[in-house]
Structure formats: C-alpha cells, structure tokens
Amino acid sequence: LMIKKAMILSAGFGKRLLPLTLSCPKPLLKIGKETLLSNTINFLEHFGIKEIVINTHYLRDKIIDYINKKNFNLKIITIEEKEKILDTGGGILNALKYFDESFLCINPDTIWNLDYLKDLKKMESNFFLKKQKCHLLVVDKTKSFDKNLKGDFNLKNDLIARENSDKLKYIYTGLQIINPDIFSNIKEEVFSINKIWDNLIKKNQLYGTDSNVEFLHVSNIDIYNELNVI
C-alpha cells in the first residue's frame, strides 16, 4: 500500500511574519532559491505523491498564479476557503471530498529536505501494517533550530501522549498521515486538528515517529531571517 495523495495547508494569514506577509502569502516566501511551497511540492514529488490538494484563503490569487506559472510535474488542485479560514481541522475536513483513501497532510512552514524521506517511509509502513488512523512525525525539541518552540507531545512506544503539559518533549513537525475516517463524527465547520488528535489520544490511537532530522521551521520573522543566512 502506498500513499498517492497529499494536502498542503496554505490558507493562513502568516501574521508572525509581518510585514513580509502583507503582500506575499507565507507559502510563497523564499528560503534560498525555493519558496516554502515549491520546496514542499518537490519533497512530495520525491516521495512519489501524484496529486496534491492545496487549501487557500489569504492572498489566494497569488498562490494560484504561482502554481500555474511553475508547471509542477504532479496534479495540483487548489480549493478556496471563501468566507473565513476554517483552521487546521476544518481546512482538512473541507478538502476530504478529494481523498477517498489515506493521505499525507503537510505544513509548508517546515524546510523539508530529502533526509525526511526515510522518516516518511517508516511512517507509511507502520501506518498500513498496524492499520492506524493517524500518524504524526515529531521531533525532539533539542533538534529544533528555533529554541523557543515549546513541546507539543510526549512519545511512548510509538504512541503520542499529552499529560504533564510542562514536560512535553516532542514538537509536531507538520507532517501526518490521515485516514479520512477520523473526521466522520465532526459537526463543526471551523476547528483545530488538535480536537481530532485529543480524541485519538484518549483512545490510544494517535501514533508518532521520532525524526532524526534537524528541525528548521519558519515560526516567525526573526527565525525566517536567520534561516535565510544559513
């Protein structure tokens, strides 16, 4: 079994990167020669993804123009969150009609590189082998370039936990594998993916893989500027 489709979350306002994001949506900010978005698309293509869905809201025309001009080698569908941003969970739920099977969901704010392919293959293998519903790629916060990032989770034998909120050791990297079934009982339109994760944690059904790659994530303007100097 292989994952063929992915979703890239690209609807946000990028407020922590003002003033750069006044006229440029965050996914189109550049690190070196690549934008965050093109870097993410190239990474997914290397993994073997054939179709990508991108949700858009803020400055969406710029994202669409960019995708049309670039002629990427895989099928890309953009969807619009028209009236309002639906948050991470709502954004994925709104795109589910494009996913009839398990898929990847990825944030372009992380600088993905080919070292992550090993992590992703391991995640994919465990996900299907153990019939999981949701599997996150996490990283020990000591491996984070931005030392101000707080931990999101703990990890015990591949299971994700959240107790002892002052002692959370792992950061969510922005990459997960999702079985669409996890959204089956949701009635809200706007909600965070944390709602889904917390439900799964209660049932011991949220899994994680610990990444060995140094975590470079565009979390704010200072970090963005530092990453562009490396």
Side-chain angles (χ1 to χ4, degrees):
L1 279 162
M2 290 188 59
I3 294 171
K4 298 179 195 68
K5 294 184 181 182
M7 177 170 187
I8 303 177
L9 300 174
S10 298
F13 291 108
K15 287 176 183 165
R16 288 190 298 267
L17 283 127
L18 287 168
L20 296 178
T21 45
L22 283 173
S23 57
C24 179
K26 182 155 89 170
L28 298 189
L29 291 178
K30 282 190 161 177
I31 297 278
K33 291 191 177 131
E34 294 286 347
T35 62
L36 293 172
L37 185 58
S38 63
N39 181 62
T40 304
I41 292 171
N42 293 339
F43 169 70
L44 292 172
E45 190 185 337
H46 274 286
F47 182 66
I49 293 295
K50 301 286 184 257
E51 185 176 306
I52 294 174
V53 175
I54 300 178
N55 66 328
T56 60
H57 175 81
Y58 178 64
L59 299 178
R60 81 179 291 265
D61 293 345
K62 295 202 170 182
I63 293 177
I64 289 164
D65 287 347
Y66 177 78
I67 289 165
N68 290 339
K69 283 194 187 107
K70 286 288 279 190
N71 279 329
F72 290 103
N73 298 324
L74 21 68
K75 182 179 177 187
I76 297 179
I77 297 162
T78 56
I79 56 175
E80 183 179 8
E81 295 177 13
K82 280 199 176 72
E83 284 78 37
K84 55 183 180 278
I85 282 193
L86 303 175
D87 204 346
T88 47
I92 300 168
L93 177 59
N94 185 51
L96 275 194
K97 58 179 169 291
Y98 294 102
F99 300 108
D100 45 4
E101 55 197 43
S102 295
F103 62 98
L104 283 184
C105 184
I106 190 166
N107 299 349
D109 317 10
T110 296
I111 316 297
W112 303 104
N113 65 54
L114 299 187
D115 294 340
Y116 280 109
L117 291 174
K118 204 168 115 195
D119 290 335
L120 189 42
K121 286 183 175 126
K122 184 178 163 194
M123 284 170 71
E124 181 186 54
S125 161
N126 282 331
F127 183 86
F128 288 118
L129 202 66
K130 298 173 181 168
K131 296 186 166 59
Q132 296 170 357
K133 300 278 190 201
C134 189
H135 194 121
L136 315 184
L137 184 65
V138 296
V139 63
D140 189 309
K141 60 186 179 189
T142 57
K143 291 199 183 84
S144 175
F145 179 80
D146 181 350
K147 295 302 174 198
N148 293 316
L149 291 180
K150 307 258 190 297
D152 300 304
F153 302 111
N154 285 318
L155 191 61
K156 296 173 188 164
N157 309 325
D158 295 342
L159 271 179
I160 289 204
R162 256 193 178 146
E163 72 282 5
N164 300 334
S165 56
D166 54 336
K167 294 196 188 79
L168 299 175
K169 190 179 161 198
Y170 291 91
I171 298 169
Y172 174 53
T173 62
L175 180 60
Q176 60 181 322
I177 304 177
I178 292 174
N179 178 321
D181 292 354
I182 61 176
F183 288 89
S184 56
N185 295 320
I186 301 286
K187 302 288 182 277
E188 294 100 308
E189 187 187 12
V190 181
F191 62 96
S192 164
I193 190 67
N194 280 292
K195 179 185 168 77
I196 302 274
W197 290 344
D198 288 337
N199 287 340
L200 291 167
I201 287 171
K202 280 185 199 132
K203 302 182 213 160
N204 284 331
Q205 285 178 356
L206 187 61
Y207 293 87
T209 290
D210 176 13
S211 173
N212 282 315
V213 185
E214 187 197 358
F215 184 53
L216 308 176
H217 181 269
V218 180
S219 41
N220 59 47
I221 188 114
D222 294 336
I223 294 290
Y224 173 74
N225 290 331
E226 285 177 46
L227 287 172
N228 252 323
V229 177
I230 295 178

